[in-house]
Amino acid sequence: NNKLNTKLIKEKCDILFVPGGSFTTNFSPVITMNQNLLPFALKTIFSYGISFLTIKFILLRCIQAFSFKKANGIIFLTEYAKGRVLKVTGKLKGITKVIPHGIDENFFSNIRPQLKKNEFSNATPFKLIYVSNIEPYKHQNQVIESVALLRSEGYHVSLKLIGSSNSSVLLQRFKKKVGFIDPDGEFIKYTGMMSHKQLQSEYKKANIFVFASSCEAMPITLMEGMASGVPIACSNRGPMSEIIGDACVYFDPENVDSIVCAIRSLIESPELRVKKAKEALNKAKHYTWERCAEDTFSFFLDIVEDYANITYEQKNFGSKSPIS
């Protein structure tokens, strides 16, 4: 910390930006960012049971709460995330700003023609895709079960799951679940991580994008799905409604029957698929990195000016402002 402070002063830095959320330096002014909501969701933390990850998230909760209370400025990605964090920290002394991330332009694609239900078969199934890390709060198990139920109802559906996991134990449990539901690998495929270029291709091949998370600061893969022109079945938790609005069919991510109903409604209606895909694509166009960059640097300037005014008052008027 002393080395960092010395370096910042030597380089005559006007501001320190800590996008990771945690810091201990005494330098001012500091802007930090909340990108991970998991440390502020106790129910989700405890879903990991007695584990190293549970301890890690609780420690992060304490460290980041301390950092947010100390910061001169805090950037949140959604209003929902801001509200959840403030419930833990209480009112913050620093200035807060909600600045959503943008979407990579390469994910944007036109709406594809939508086939009728009877045009799908086991050879050419209705393709579902879910892109997310393998974690308890992502509810991949419920999505797998819902697809199995749809198959039992006679729907020609397949599911591709893309994403890594921070826990080998969780990953093994997940693979075991896949093997139990689909032992012959007929309709469920797990691929692990993919590059952005590969993902863009996968989105374009999908008939429905499924997003079943219940804990997000800002759901990036959901936004990529919106940009890709794919109809979306989406979790009704967290900030999802703030991001996608009515441009999807919602479900309860912890309720298999609810997921089945949402996906079924999209399979049954090509018109609904087109309508929701168009609405989602239009909403995605609001999330640009240019806007994000402009808002972020504008916020930096606001914090620098605010800190300069506070410092001037302290130097010339002590704890009292010149107005008082």
PDB file of all heavy atoms in Angstrom, residues 30-57:
ATOM      1  N   VAL A  30     -10.562   7.729  -4.937  1.00  0.00           N
ATOM      2  CA  VAL A  30     -10.615   6.382  -5.488  1.00  0.00           C
ATOM      3  C   VAL A  30     -12.023   6.098  -6.002  1.00  0.00           C
ATOM      4  O   VAL A  30     -13.007   6.393  -5.326  1.00  0.00           O
ATOM      5  CB  VAL A  30     -10.245   5.319  -4.430  1.00  0.00           C
ATOM      6  CG1 VAL A  30     -10.394   3.921  -5.012  1.00  0.00           C
ATOM      7  CG2 VAL A  30      -8.839   5.532  -3.927  1.00  0.00           C
ATOM      8  N   ILE A  31     -12.084   5.528  -7.214  1.00  0.00           N
ATOM      9  CA  ILE A  31     -13.351   5.036  -7.750  1.00  0.00           C
ATOM     10  C   ILE A  31     -13.239   3.522  -7.856  1.00  0.00           C
ATOM     11  O   ILE A  31     -12.241   2.993  -8.334  1.00  0.00           O
ATOM     12  CB  ILE A  31     -13.643   5.618  -9.148  1.00  0.00           C
ATOM     13  CG1 ILE A  31     -13.904   7.119  -9.047  1.00  0.00           C
ATOM     14  CG2 ILE A  31     -14.858   4.919  -9.774  1.00  0.00           C
ATOM     15  CD1 ILE A  31     -14.158   7.782 -10.389  1.00  0.00           C
ATOM     16  N   THR A  32     -14.246   2.841  -7.397  1.00  0.00           N
ATOM     17  CA  THR A  32     -14.268   1.386  -7.530  1.00  0.00           C
ATOM     18  C   THR A  32     -15.553   0.961  -8.228  1.00  0.00           C
ATOM     19  O   THR A  32     -16.417   1.800  -8.535  1.00  0.00           O
ATOM     20  CB  THR A  32     -14.118   0.702  -6.157  1.00  0.00           C
ATOM     21  OG1 THR A  32     -13.923  -0.695  -6.350  1.00  0.00           O
ATOM     22  CG2 THR A  32     -15.336   0.927  -5.282  1.00  0.00           C
ATOM     23  N   MET A  33     -15.675  -0.331  -8.503  1.00  0.00           N
ATOM     24  CA  MET A  33     -16.808  -0.832  -9.282  1.00  0.00           C
ATOM     25  C   MET A  33     -17.311  -2.155  -8.717  1.00  0.00           C
ATOM     26  O   MET A  33     -16.518  -2.994  -8.306  1.00  0.00           O
ATOM     27  CB  MET A  33     -16.374  -1.035 -10.744  1.00  0.00           C
ATOM     28  CG  MET A  33     -17.462  -1.570 -11.663  1.00  0.00           C
ATOM     29  SD  MET A  33     -16.847  -1.969 -13.331  1.00  0.00           S
ATOM     30  CE  MET A  33     -16.547  -0.331 -13.975  1.00  0.00           C
ATOM     31  N   ASN A  34     -18.618  -2.306  -8.692  1.00  0.00           N
ATOM     32  CA  ASN A  34     -19.224  -3.579  -8.292  1.00  0.00           C
ATOM     33  C   ASN A  34     -19.547  -4.393  -9.545  1.00  0.00           C
ATOM     34  O   ASN A  34     -20.437  -4.037 -10.305  1.00  0.00           O
ATOM     35  CB  ASN A  34     -20.499  -3.335  -7.481  1.00  0.00           C
ATOM     36  CG  ASN A  34     -21.308  -4.594  -7.284  1.00  0.00           C
ATOM     37  OD1 ASN A  34     -22.444  -4.694  -7.722  1.00  0.00           O
ATOM     38  ND2 ASN A  34     -20.716  -5.576  -6.639  1.00  0.00           N
ATOM     39  N   GLN A  35     -18.798  -5.475  -9.759  1.00  0.00           N
ATOM     40  CA  GLN A  35     -19.050  -6.336 -10.908  1.00  0.00           C
ATOM     41  C   GLN A  35     -19.517  -7.732 -10.495  1.00  0.00           C
ATOM     42  O   GLN A  35     -19.941  -8.504 -11.349  1.00  0.00           O
ATOM     43  CB  GLN A  35     -17.785  -6.464 -11.761  1.00  0.00           C
ATOM     44  CG  GLN A  35     -17.317  -5.153 -12.357  1.00  0.00           C
ATOM     45  CD  GLN A  35     -16.280  -5.357 -13.433  1.00  0.00           C
ATOM     46  OE1 GLN A  35     -16.583  -5.857 -14.515  1.00  0.00           O
ATOM     47  NE2 GLN A  35     -15.049  -4.963 -13.154  1.00  0.00           N
ATOM     48  N   ASN A  36     -19.425  -8.036  -9.213  1.00  0.00           N
ATOM     49  CA  ASN A  36     -19.786  -9.366  -8.722  1.00  0.00           C
ATOM     50  C   ASN A  36     -20.786  -9.218  -7.584  1.00  0.00           C
ATOM     51  O   ASN A  36     -20.453  -8.722  -6.509  1.00  0.00           O
ATOM     52  CB  ASN A  36     -18.529 -10.100  -8.245  1.00  0.00           C
ATOM     53  CG  ASN A  36     -18.826 -11.522  -7.801  1.00  0.00           C
ATOM     54  OD1 ASN A  36     -19.949 -12.009  -7.910  1.00  0.00           O
ATOM     55  ND2 ASN A  36     -17.810 -12.197  -7.283  1.00  0.00           N
ATOM     56  N   LEU A  37     -22.012  -9.662  -7.828  1.00  0.00           N
ATOM     57  CA  LEU A  37     -23.058  -9.515  -6.816  1.00  0.00           C
ATOM     58  C   LEU A  37     -23.093 -10.677  -5.837  1.00  0.00           C
ATOM     59  O   LEU A  37     -23.703 -10.584  -4.778  1.00  0.00           O
ATOM     60  CB  LEU A  37     -24.421  -9.375  -7.505  1.00  0.00           C
ATOM     61  CG  LEU A  37     -25.552  -8.772  -6.673  1.00  0.00           C
ATOM     62  CD1 LEU A  37     -25.190  -7.384  -6.166  1.00  0.00           C
ATOM     63  CD2 LEU A  37     -26.838  -8.723  -7.479  1.00  0.00           C
ATOM     64  N   LEU A  38     -22.419 -11.762  -6.177  1.00  0.00           N
ATOM     65  CA  LEU A  38     -22.467 -12.972  -5.353  1.00  0.00           C
ATOM     66  C   LEU A  38     -22.086 -12.732  -3.886  1.00  0.00           C
ATOM     67  O   LEU A  38     -22.776 -13.237  -2.986  1.00  0.00           O
ATOM     68  CB  LEU A  38     -21.577 -14.044  -5.968  1.00  0.00           C
ATOM     69  CG  LEU A  38     -21.591 -15.437  -5.344  1.00  0.00           C
ATOM     70  CD1 LEU A  38     -23.003 -15.977  -5.197  1.00  0.00           C
ATOM     71  CD2 LEU A  38     -20.741 -16.389  -6.171  1.00  0.00           C
ATOM     72  N   PRO A  39     -21.026 -11.952  -3.584  1.00  0.00           N
ATOM     73  CA  PRO A  39     -20.693 -11.733  -2.166  1.00  0.00           C
ATOM     74  C   PRO A  39     -21.796 -11.036  -1.370  1.00  0.00           C
ATOM     75  O   PRO A  39     -21.795 -11.082  -0.141  1.00  0.00           O
ATOM     76  CB  PRO A  39     -19.443 -10.844  -2.243  1.00  0.00           C
ATOM     77  CG  PRO A  39     -18.854 -11.140  -3.573  1.00  0.00           C
ATOM     78  CD  PRO A  39     -20.027 -11.361  -4.474  1.00  0.00           C
ATOM     79  N   PHE A  40     -22.737 -10.411  -2.065  1.00  0.00           N
ATOM     80  CA  PHE A  40     -23.801  -9.678  -1.369  1.00  0.00           C
ATOM     81  C   PHE A  40     -25.135 -10.430  -1.387  1.00  0.00           C
ATOM     82  O   PHE A  40     -26.179  -9.860  -1.102  1.00  0.00           O
ATOM     83  CB  PHE A  40     -23.954  -8.290  -2.007  1.00  0.00           C
ATOM     84  CG  PHE A  40     -22.717  -7.450  -1.873  1.00  0.00           C
ATOM     85  CD1 PHE A  40     -21.743  -7.466  -2.866  1.00  0.00           C
ATOM     86  CD2 PHE A  40     -22.493  -6.686  -0.730  1.00  0.00           C
ATOM     87  CE1 PHE A  40     -20.581  -6.721  -2.738  1.00  0.00           C
ATOM     88  CE2 PHE A  40     -21.333  -5.939  -0.591  1.00  0.00           C
ATOM     89  CZ  PHE A  40     -20.370  -5.963  -1.592  1.00  0.00           C
ATOM     90  N   ALA A  41     -25.066 -11.717  -1.721  1.00  0.00           N
ATOM     91  CA  ALA A  41     -26.274 -12.559  -1.747  1.00  0.00           C
ATOM     92  C   ALA A  41     -26.038 -13.777  -0.864  1.00  0.00           C
ATOM     93  O   ALA A  41     -25.536 -14.807  -1.315  1.00  0.00           O
ATOM     94  CB  ALA A  41     -26.586 -12.974  -3.182  1.00  0.00           C
ATOM     95  N   LEU A  42     -26.386 -13.675   0.410  1.00  0.00           N
ATOM     96  CA  LEU A  42     -26.079 -14.733   1.382  1.00  0.00           C
ATOM     97  C   LEU A  42     -26.720 -16.071   1.025  1.00  0.00           C
ATOM     98  O   LEU A  42     -26.104 -17.119   1.166  1.00  0.00           O
ATOM     99  CB  LEU A  42     -26.528 -14.298   2.782  1.00  0.00           C
ATOM    100  CG  LEU A  42     -25.588 -13.360   3.540  1.00  0.00           C
ATOM    101  CD1 LEU A  42     -26.176 -13.017   4.904  1.00  0.00           C
ATOM    102  CD2 LEU A  42     -24.208 -13.984   3.695  1.00  0.00           C
ATOM    103  N   LYS A  43     -27.974 -16.042   0.566  1.00  0.00           N
ATOM    104  CA  LYS A  43     -28.654 -17.288   0.212  1.00  0.00           C
ATOM    105  C   LYS A  43     -27.869 -18.030  -0.871  1.00  0.00           C
ATOM    106  O   LYS A  43     -27.707 -19.253  -0.819  1.00  0.00           O
ATOM    107  CB  LYS A  43     -30.076 -17.001  -0.270  1.00  0.00           C
ATOM    108  CG  LYS A  43     -30.844 -18.260  -0.656  1.00  0.00           C
ATOM    109  CD  LYS A  43     -32.237 -17.927  -1.186  1.00  0.00           C
ATOM    110  CE  LYS A  43     -32.963 -19.182  -1.665  1.00  0.00           C
ATOM    111  NZ  LYS A  43     -34.307 -18.864  -2.221  1.00  0.00           N
ATOM    112  N   THR A  44     -27.378 -17.279  -1.830  1.00  0.00           N
ATOM    113  CA  THR A  44     -26.605 -17.881  -2.922  1.00  0.00           C
ATOM    114  C   THR A  44     -25.265 -18.393  -2.413  1.00  0.00           C
ATOM    115  O   THR A  44     -24.809 -19.479  -2.802  1.00  0.00           O
ATOM    116  CB  THR A  44     -26.387 -16.863  -4.050  1.00  0.00           C
ATOM    117  OG1 THR A  44     -27.648 -16.346  -4.469  1.00  0.00           O
ATOM    118  CG2 THR A  44     -25.687 -17.506  -5.236  1.00  0.00           C
ATOM    119  N   ILE A  45     -24.618 -17.631  -1.528  1.00  0.00           N
ATOM    120  CA  ILE A  45     -23.339 -18.065  -0.948  1.00  0.00           C
ATOM    121  C   ILE A  45     -23.507 -19.408  -0.240  1.00  0.00           C
ATOM    122  O   ILE A  45     -22.709 -20.334  -0.427  1.00  0.00           O
ATOM    123  CB  ILE A  45     -22.801 -17.013   0.033  1.00  0.00           C
ATOM    124  CG1 ILE A  45     -22.347 -15.756  -0.712  1.00  0.00           C
ATOM    125  CG2 ILE A  45     -21.634 -17.578   0.847  1.00  0.00           C
ATOM    126  CD1 ILE A  45     -21.927 -14.622   0.202  1.00  0.00           C
ATOM    127  N   PHE A  46     -24.565 -19.540   0.542  1.00  0.00           N
ATOM    128  CA  PHE A  46     -24.761 -20.757   1.338  1.00  0.00           C
ATOM    129  C   PHE A  46     -25.177 -21.953   0.469  1.00  0.00           C
ATOM    130  O   PHE A  46     -25.158 -23.091   0.934  1.00  0.00           O
ATOM    131  CB  PHE A  46     -25.782 -20.508   2.438  1.00  0.00           C
ATOM    132  CG  PHE A  46     -25.286 -19.556   3.500  1.00  0.00           C
ATOM    133  CD1 PHE A  46     -26.130 -18.606   4.065  1.00  0.00           C
ATOM    134  CD2 PHE A  46     -23.963 -19.590   3.921  1.00  0.00           C
ATOM    135  CE1 PHE A  46     -25.671 -17.726   5.033  1.00  0.00           C
ATOM    136  CE2 PHE A  46     -23.496 -18.709   4.891  1.00  0.00           C
ATOM    137  CZ  PHE A  46     -24.341 -17.777   5.452  1.00  0.00           C
ATOM    138  N   SER A  47     -25.541 -21.692  -0.795  1.00  0.00           N
ATOM    139  CA  SER A  47     -25.857 -22.809  -1.686  1.00  0.00           C
ATOM    140  C   SER A  47     -24.608 -23.626  -2.014  1.00  0.00           C
ATOM    141  O   SER A  47     -24.714 -24.748  -2.513  1.00  0.00           O
ATOM    142  CB  SER A  47     -26.492 -22.294  -2.987  1.00  0.00           C
ATOM    143  OG  SER A  47     -25.543 -21.592  -3.780  1.00  0.00           O
ATOM    144  N   TYR A  48     -23.419 -23.075  -1.700  1.00  0.00           N
ATOM    145  CA  TYR A  48     -22.162 -23.799  -1.913  1.00  0.00           C
ATOM    146  C   TYR A  48     -21.836 -24.722  -0.743  1.00  0.00           C
ATOM    147  O   TYR A  48     -20.839 -25.442  -0.790  1.00  0.00           O
ATOM    148  CB  TYR A  48     -21.013 -22.806  -2.123  1.00  0.00           C
ATOM    149  CG  TYR A  48     -21.031 -22.132  -3.467  1.00  0.00           C
ATOM    150  CD1 TYR A  48     -21.796 -20.993  -3.692  1.00  0.00           C
ATOM    151  CD2 TYR A  48     -20.291 -22.629  -4.530  1.00  0.00           C
ATOM    152  CE1 TYR A  48     -21.816 -20.369  -4.929  1.00  0.00           C
ATOM    153  CE2 TYR A  48     -20.299 -22.017  -5.779  1.00  0.00           C
ATOM    154  CZ  TYR A  48     -21.063 -20.883  -5.964  1.00  0.00           C
ATOM    155  OH  TYR A  48     -21.081 -20.279  -7.195  1.00  0.00           O
ATOM    156  N   GLY A  49     -22.671 -24.680   0.307  1.00  0.00           N
ATOM    157  CA  GLY A  49     -22.442 -25.552   1.453  1.00  0.00           C
ATOM    158  C   GLY A  49     -21.198 -25.153   2.227  1.00  0.00           C
ATOM    159  O   GLY A  49     -20.721 -24.013   2.134  1.00  0.00           O
ATOM    160  N   ILE A  50     -20.666 -26.074   3.013  1.00  0.00           N
ATOM    161  CA  ILE A  50     -19.439 -25.820   3.777  1.00  0.00           C
ATOM    162  C   ILE A  50     -18.266 -26.069   2.830  1.00  0.00           C
ATOM    163  O   ILE A  50     -17.915 -27.210   2.538  1.00  0.00           O
ATOM    164  CB  ILE A  50     -19.349 -26.742   5.006  1.00  0.00           C
ATOM    165  CG1 ILE A  50     -20.558 -26.522   5.926  1.00  0.00           C
ATOM    166  CG2 ILE A  50     -18.043 -26.479   5.770  1.00  0.00           C
ATOM    167  CD1 ILE A  50     -20.628 -27.504   7.068  1.00  0.00           C
ATOM    168  N   SER A  51     -17.688 -24.997   2.321  1.00  0.00           N
ATOM    169  CA  SER A  51     -16.640 -25.142   1.319  1.00  0.00           C
ATOM    170  C   SER A  51     -15.711 -23.938   1.339  1.00  0.00           C
ATOM    171  O   SER A  51     -16.007 -22.898   1.949  1.00  0.00           O
ATOM    172  CB  SER A  51     -17.256 -25.281  -0.077  1.00  0.00           C
ATOM    173  OG  SER A  51     -17.898 -24.072  -0.448  1.00  0.00           O
ATOM    174  N   PHE A  52     -14.604 -24.082   0.652  1.00  0.00           N
ATOM    175  CA  PHE A  52     -13.649 -22.976   0.497  1.00  0.00           C
ATOM    176  C   PHE A  52     -14.311 -21.789  -0.193  1.00  0.00           C
ATOM    177  O   PHE A  52     -14.067 -20.628   0.162  1.00  0.00           O
ATOM    178  CB  PHE A  52     -12.437 -23.432  -0.304  1.00  0.00           C
ATOM    179  CG  PHE A  52     -11.542 -22.312  -0.763  1.00  0.00           C
ATOM    180  CD1 PHE A  52     -10.662 -21.698   0.118  1.00  0.00           C
ATOM    181  CD2 PHE A  52     -11.604 -21.855  -2.071  1.00  0.00           C
ATOM    182  CE1 PHE A  52      -9.852 -20.651  -0.288  1.00  0.00           C
ATOM    183  CE2 PHE A  52     -10.796 -20.817  -2.495  1.00  0.00           C
ATOM    184  CZ  PHE A  52      -9.909 -20.213  -1.607  1.00  0.00           C
ATOM    185  N   LEU A  53     -15.169 -22.067  -1.191  1.00  0.00           N
ATOM    186  CA  LEU A  53     -15.829 -20.990  -1.924  1.00  0.00           C
ATOM    187  C   LEU A  53     -16.753 -20.182  -1.028  1.00  0.00           C
ATOM    188  O   LEU A  53     -16.832 -18.955  -1.151  1.00  0.00           O
ATOM    189  CB  LEU A  53     -16.618 -21.564  -3.108  1.00  0.00           C
ATOM    190  CG  LEU A  53     -15.779 -22.045  -4.294  1.00  0.00           C
ATOM    191  CD1 LEU A  53     -16.663 -22.745  -5.327  1.00  0.00           C
ATOM    192  CD2 LEU A  53     -15.031 -20.886  -4.940  1.00  0.00           C
ATOM    193  N   THR A  54     -17.426 -20.840  -0.103  1.00  0.00           N
ATOM    194  CA  THR A  54     -18.305 -20.124   0.833  1.00  0.00           C
ATOM    195  C   THR A  54     -17.496 -19.144   1.679  1.00  0.00           C
ATOM    196  O   THR A  54     -17.880 -17.973   1.841  1.00  0.00           O
ATOM    197  CB  THR A  54     -19.036 -21.118   1.753  1.00  0.00           C
ATOM    198  OG1 THR A  54     -19.790 -22.023   0.957  1.00  0.00           O
ATOM    199  CG2 THR A  54     -19.966 -20.396   2.719  1.00  0.00           C
ATOM    200  N   ILE A  55     -16.373 -19.611   2.206  1.00  0.00           N
ATOM    201  CA  ILE A  55     -15.497 -18.747   3.009  1.00  0.00           C
ATOM    202  C   ILE A  55     -14.966 -17.596   2.158  1.00  0.00           C
ATOM    203  O   ILE A  55     -14.932 -16.439   2.590  1.00  0.00           O
ATOM    204  CB  ILE A  55     -14.330 -19.565   3.594  1.00  0.00           C
ATOM    205  CG1 ILE A  55     -14.864 -20.634   4.545  1.00  0.00           C
ATOM    206  CG2 ILE A  55     -13.337 -18.655   4.315  1.00  0.00           C
ATOM    207  CD1 ILE A  55     -13.827 -21.644   4.989  1.00  0.00           C
ATOM    208  N   LYS A  56     -14.570 -17.906   0.925  1.00  0.00           N
ATOM    209  CA  LYS A  56     -14.037 -16.890   0.015  1.00  0.00           C
ATOM    210  C   LYS A  56     -15.063 -15.782  -0.235  1.00  0.00           C
ATOM    211  O   LYS A  56     -14.736 -14.586  -0.165  1.00  0.00           O
ATOM    212  CB  LYS A  56     -13.648 -17.541  -1.309  1.00  0.00           C
ATOM    213  CG  LYS A  56     -13.237 -16.558  -2.397  1.00  0.00           C
ATOM    214  CD  LYS A  56     -13.041 -17.263  -3.728  1.00  0.00           C
ATOM    215  CE  LYS A  56     -12.815 -16.254  -4.853  1.00  0.00           C
ATOM    216  NZ  LYS A  56     -12.664 -16.919  -6.170  1.00  0.00           N
ATOM    217  N   PHE A  57     -16.315 -16.164  -0.492  1.00  0.00           N
ATOM    218  CA  PHE A  57     -17.343 -15.172  -0.805  1.00  0.00           C
ATOM    219  C   PHE A  57     -17.701 -14.324   0.418  1.00  0.00           C
ATOM    220  O   PHE A  57     -17.988 -13.127   0.288  1.00  0.00           O
ATOM    221  CB  PHE A  57     -18.587 -15.859  -1.355  1.00  0.00           C
ATOM    222  CG  PHE A  57     -18.376 -16.494  -2.704  1.00  0.00           C
ATOM    223  CD1 PHE A  57     -18.869 -17.768  -2.974  1.00  0.00           C
ATOM    224  CD2 PHE A  57     -17.666 -15.846  -3.701  1.00  0.00           C
ATOM    225  CE1 PHE A  57     -18.672 -18.359  -4.204  1.00  0.00           C
ATOM    226  CE2 PHE A  57     -17.462 -16.434  -4.940  1.00  0.00           C
ATOM    227  CZ  PHE A  57     -17.971 -17.694  -5.197  1.00  0.00           C
TER     228      PHE A  57
END
